[in-house]
Amino acid sequence: MDRFVIKGPTPLVGEIAIGGAKNAVLPLMAAALLARGETIIENVPDLVDVRFFMTILEELGAVCNFENSRLTIDTTHQDGCNAPYDLVRKMRASIYVLGPLLAYHGEARVSLPGGCAWGPRPVNLHLDAMQALGAELDLDEGYIVGKTKGRLQGTRFRFEPVSVGASANILMAAVLAEGVTELENCAVEPEVTGLAEALVRSGAKIEGIGTNTMRIEGVNEIAPLKHRVMADRIEAGTFMAGVAMTGGRVTMSRVNPSHLRSVVSVLLDLGCEIIEDEDLITVEMDRRPKRIEVVTRPYPGFPTDMQAQIMAVCALADGTSFMTDSIYNDRFTHVSELNRLGADIRLDGNKATIFGSEKLQGAPVMATDLRASAALVLAGAAAEGTTEVNRVYHIDRGYEKIEVRLAALGANIKRESY
Ligand code: UD1
């Protein structure tokens, strides 16, 4: 296993290019199963989750090749429909293969993903919507076993609550269904919109992209996808939060500022200066962060995937901040670890009260999920003394070489194997 050893505090200064978005590339990879031939995806980040999704596609009979940020998925001879527990349990996004398999092959056997570090995370909407499309689903020894009589059938389905994963999964399935599907209360996260745009370029008929209501007219077939993955707004937001904590000035290139509105607004409230220019965002911070109040919401609201990193900034703020996660009630594994670094954070249900401290003190910490790990790494760069962040495989799932990139910005951070 690996850990990061971080000596702080050091300001972050310099320039960094943001990579392709993890949450955008995973559904695109699943969508390769909707067509025969070679899907080509560019600007793919080299992440554990991407490599992992490749093994699932290969298990299903696709041939993947990943070099220099370019991923090809050849489905010419893809005929498997079984996504086994050993693979699915490692990554919830594996459920994305359910819609494409049912739509293309009329059958699927996909392990139920199970819980994760922040609670039960149900998949009822994925299942209900597939049934609404006419799939017959059974649960058999922990597996979702699905069959269709002929093609899936267009339907009307309302997501309650809004779900990124279910919106993407049903969208993919509906593209090859017979007739019209109307989806209400869809997620409008850029990653869902990007998927819909990629599908349309391959021949899918989708109206209402980027709105809460999508109308999909099923087609008989689509061509393999050719798509360039959008910039990772959460990766960009994480580096921005780092500057807010440590002070300094960092310019992020290859970003899409329009995807970062709610994050920028919170950074401004914290006291950062922000300059935007086409695909560049510069963040500068030369003061102690101000106190803030934030509630996570579906896009275009403030993302739950930034909650932990911004909470780490609040730990150093001048005053008492409040952070409520309205998407996940118990996504707070970072709280006790930040408190080990000298933060003073108290939890009441899904609301955290963060009493700002003047400084944090390095300590060994351990994270149990991806964004919580990122928050601890940032806190380590801002804390005095040495912080060890253990079990960094969580962070490798969603950030490419984060230690190399933070070191290039002036952080004193090293990876050690133990
Ligand atoms: C995706 C992101 C994750 C992000 C989350 C919320 C990927 C691979 N992951 O996860 O990083 O934190 O969106 O922005 O893109 N829900 C149900 N039933 C369901 C599905 C979801 O009740 O069948 C609930 C969840 O418990 C949660 C809410 O809906 O309260 C939103 O979850 P969802 O948007 O589905 O998250 P994911 O797609 O799993």
Side-chain angles (χ1 to χ4, degrees), residues 22-23 26 92-93 96 118 121-126 161-166 189 304-305 327-328 331:
K22 169 179 90 73
N23 287 353
L26 299 178
R92 280 185 54 83
Y96 276 141
W118 72 85
R121 296 187 79 187
V123 290
N124 59 304
L125 290 172
H126 299 251
V162 178
S163 162
V164 173
E189 267 69 2
T304 173
D305 284 349
I327 314 277
Y328 294 112
R331 189 180 192 176

Side-chain angles (χ1 to χ4, degrees), residues 364-405:
V365 288
M366 185 176 78
T368 45
D369 89 60
L370 168 58
R371 307 301 170 187
S373 311
L376 293 174
V377 168
L378 300 183
E384 291 186 0
T386 304
T387 298
E388 266 176 28
V389 180
N390 291 289
R391 289 207 196 171
V392 298
Y393 58 81
H394 290 292
I395 213 163
D396 292 333
R397 287 186 37 218
Y399 295 89
E400 189 173 337
K401 298 196 182 96
I402 194 170
E403 77 282 18
V404 175
R405 299 162 80 208

Side-chain angles (χ1 to χ4, degrees), residues 12-310:
L12 298 178
V13 178
E15 283 185 28
I16 183 165
I18 298 303
K22 169 179 90 73
N23 287 353
V25 75
L26 299 178
L28 289 165
M29 291 172 74
L33 297 169
L34 290 168
R36 290 296 89 161
E38 193 177 67
T39 282
I40 302 172
I41 312 177
E42 309 270 4
N43 197 32
V44 176
D46 192 351
L47 303 173
V48 169
D49 272 9
V50 169
R51 300 256 173 204
F52 185 68
F53 211 96
M54 285 165 60
T55 62
I56 294 183
L57 294 176
E58 281 168 350
E59 172 77 21
L60 295 170
V63 178
C64 300
N65 186 23
F66 184 23
E67 261 176 304
N68 300 327
S69 313
R70 186 174 193 265
L71 172 63
T72 59
I73 304 164
D74 188 345
T75 55
T76 308
H77 304 294
Q78 186 276 316
D79 57 0
C81 292
N82 184 32
Y85 175 67
D86 268 357
L87 296 180
V88 174
R89 73 183 167 84
K90 293 187 190 149
M91 190 172 69
R92 280 185 54 83
S94 316
I95 189 90
Y96 276 141
V97 301
L98 181 66
L101 288 177
L102 284 172
Y104 192 88
H105 293 286
E107 63 173 291
R109 189 169 182 274
V110 179
S111 172
L112 272 170
C116 78
W118 72 85
R121 296 187 79 187
V123 290
N124 59 304
L125 290 172
H126 299 251
L127 306 187
D128 291 351
M130 295 301 166
Q131 283 174 318
L133 284 165
E136 284 175 16
L137 299 185
D138 279 316
L139 292 184
D140 179 30
E141 297 180 346
Y143 279 77
I144 307 158
V145 182
K147 277 202 175 54
T148 68
K149 289 196 186 102
R151 284 169 68 186
L152 291 170
Q153 298 295 312
T155 189
R156 174 178 285 209
F157 190 84
R158 182 177 172 82
F159 298 96
E160 205 63 71
V162 178
S163 162
V164 173
S167 299
N169 216 346
I170 306 335
L171 176 65
M172 291 188 277
V175 158
L176 294 186
E178 197 167 6
V180 171
T181 300
E182 286 180 348
L183 301 178
E184 294 170 12
N185 205 26
C186 299
V188 292
E189 267 69 2
E191 295 77 14
V192 176
T193 304
L195 170 68
E197 287 166 351
L199 289 167
V200 166
R201 272 202 303 280
S202 286
K205 293 190 178 164
I206 307 170
E207 289 170 14
I209 295 175
T211 74
N212 296 109
T213 309
M214 278 193 278
R215 184 178 183 280
I216 303 121
E217 195 183 321
V219 293
N220 291 335
E221 58 176 14
I222 61 168
L225 275 67
K226 303 222 176 323
H227 194 71
R228 187 176 170 80
V229 181
M230 67 183 64
D232 195 323
R233 61 195 169 101
I234 305 300
E235 184 185 76
T238 300
F239 286 112
M240 290 160 89
V243 180
M245 270 194 102
T246 63
R249 181 187 164 98
V250 172
T251 297
M252 271 144 285
S253 60
R254 296 196 217 151
V255 289
N256 186 335
S258 72
H259 293 166
L260 281 155
R261 289 279 160 257
S262 61
V263 175
V264 163
S265 153
V266 166
L267 286 160
L268 289 170
D269 290 347
L270 284 162
C272 294
E273 272 192 44
I274 310 260
I275 304 163
E276 293 179 15
D277 184 12
E278 294 186 0
D279 70 345
L280 302 176
I281 296 188
T282 301
V283 184
E284 186 166 358
M285 186 66 152
D286 58 4
R287 48 169 294 161
R288 190 172 168 196
K290 294 192 237 175
R291 64 161 297 278
I292 53 165
E293 289 184 33
V294 187
V295 182
T296 69
R297 304 252 185 236
Y299 190 85
F302 181 80
T304 173
D305 284 349
M306 282 300 301
Q307 181 253 102
Q309 302 89 311
I310 292 296

